[in-house]
């Protein structure tokens, strides 16, 4: 499940930016970009759980 968290967090950041722009409230844009930035940090963290095919081939 952890290998899919990177794509989930990237999609969440796109959603937050889109909703922050569409709501057109006073702080919604700043809050949307802030949440998107946090999601992108988590996405970068969980890239270490994406399997690397080169490492598997070297072990064989």
């Amino acid at each position: 499940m952890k290998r899919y968290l990177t794509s989930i967090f990237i999609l969440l950041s796109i959603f937050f930016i889109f909703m922050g722009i569409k709501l057109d409230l006073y702080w919604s844009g700043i809050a949307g970009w802030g949440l998107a930035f946090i999601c992108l940090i988590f996405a970068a963290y969980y890239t270490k759980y994406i399997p690397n095919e080169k490492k598997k081939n070297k072990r064989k």
Side-chain angles (χ1 to χ4, degrees):
M1 179 64 189
K2 288 183 181 179
R3 63 190 281 184
Y4 300 114
L5 284 177
T6 299
S7 59
I8 290 170
F9 279 122
I10 290 173
L11 291 174
L12 273 175
S13 67
I14 293 169
F15 175 75
F16 286 141
I17 291 171
F18 182 73
M19 290 307 294
I21 292 171
K22 287 294 179 184
L23 285 178
D24 199 29
L25 297 174
Y26 187 67
W27 288 98
S28 64
I30 295 171
W33 279 102
L35 289 172
F37 182 71
I38 292 169
C39 284
L40 289 175
I41 289 173
F42 280 118
Y45 174 76
Y46 283 109
T47 56
K48 67 180 181 180
Y49 293 108
I50 297 174
N52 191 353
E53 297 299 325
K54 291 181 182 179
K55 286 184 181 180
K56 289 182 180 179
N57 290 336
K58 287 182 180 179
R59 291 182 185 169
K60 288 182 180 180

